[in-house]
Amino acid sequence: MIGFIRIIGGKWRGRKLPVLDSNGLRPTTDRIKETLFNWLMPVIQDANCLDCFSGSGSLGFESISRGAYKSTLVEKNVTIAKQLKKNCQLLNAQNIEIINHDLISWLNKPASQQFDLVFIDPPFHQNLTEATISLLENNGWLKNDSYIYIETETLYNQLAQQIPSNWYLHREKIAGQVHSRLFIRADS
């Protein structure tokens, strides 16, 4: 079964992209995306972005549509990664890199590049947020003034203990079952 995501702003505004139905795949809703990208408006232009657990690619595609320089989408599922590549071809997107790999093992090495903006939106109830935060911070993947977006289930209340001391909460919102937080990383 196939669904769709919609790009809601920028050069591809209104474009719909096919998304495969897969267990745990939960695309960010248009309402949450609109709020997030309003928050990011001052920093999205020319940003180097990382879409962790990219799934539908909703956040990675949206960032490029709105003027980001590059977006790296990391997706573990082979079939979903193939669909992301097809969607890149549909958009003729040259500045999106699809990496078919387990995110935790991909981040568990010294950084090959640094990111201005990172989207962490893992499948709910799988305890992937903590390891992702730790590896991003400790392996050099983040620039000093990076923005880090974290989307978790509202019942998830352990995030505060996992946030590095040099990450500052910039914005947050709860919408239904989703708790959205945007952090800014300061030089450690």
Side-chain angles (χ1 to χ4, degrees):
M1 179 172 204
I2 294 183
F4 292 90
I5 59 165
R6 186 171 63 93
I7 297 175
I8 59 173
K11 67 182 175 183
W12 297 321
R13 181 181 180 164
R15 290 287 302 265
K16 288 185 178 181
L17 299 173
V19 176
L20 300 176
D21 185 25
S22 179
N23 189 26
L25 186 63
R26 181 191 40 78
T28 300
T29 65
D30 286 357
R31 179 176 162 205
I32 293 170
K33 257 195 309 194
E34 186 67 40
T35 298
L36 170 61
F37 283 92
N38 283 340
W39 293 346
L40 295 173
M41 196 179 320
V43 297
I44 193 74
Q45 193 68 37
D46 298 323
N48 186 17
C49 304
L50 174 62
D51 187 356
C52 302
F53 312 101
S54 74
S56 68
S58 180
L59 299 175
F61 287 118
E62 190 75 35
S63 66
I64 294 297
S65 182
R66 292 176 182 248
Y69 169 72
K70 181 182 177 189
S71 195
T72 302
L73 285 65
V74 182
E75 174 53 49
K76 180 179 177 178
N77 182 298
V78 174
T79 307
I80 293 173
K82 285 180 183 176
Q83 183 62 51
L84 290 170
K85 288 178 183 178
K86 288 179 186 175
N87 288 346
C88 282
Q89 292 171 345
L90 281 173
L91 296 171
N92 194 25
Q94 306 299 316
N95 47 353
I96 295 177
E97 180 182 11
I98 309 298
I99 297 175
N100 181 211
H101 207 287
D102 173 70
L103 179 82
I104 301 302
S105 60
W106 187 76
L107 290 175
N108 195 17
K109 63 183 192 276
S112 55
Q113 60 184 306
Q114 289 189 313
F115 295 98
D116 302 295
L117 176 57
V118 176
F119 303 105
I120 304 171
D121 181 11
F124 284 175
H125 312 292
Q126 294 190 19
N127 300 318
L128 295 165
T129 307
E130 295 88 351
T132 304
I133 291 169
S134 177
L135 292 169
L136 284 167
E137 180 64 29
N138 296 322
N139 289 352
W141 293 98
L142 301 172
K143 291 186 178 176
N144 286 338
D145 56 353
S146 293
Y147 281 68
I148 304 101
Y149 171 73
I150 302 175
E151 189 173 305
T152 62
E153 60 271 26
T154 53
L155 298 177
Y156 180 78
N157 52 13
Q158 297 147 343
L159 186 62
Q161 300 113 344
Q162 308 302 323
I163 298 299
S165 60
N166 61 319
W167 290 20
Y168 299 96
L169 183 62
H170 180 59
R171 306 256 194 214
E172 76 178 313
K173 182 174 183 168
I174 296 175
Q177 300 296 318
V178 176
H179 194 158
S180 303
R181 298 173 185 95
L182 182 62
F183 294 90
I184 301 173
R185 180 183 187 270
D187 190 357
S188 55

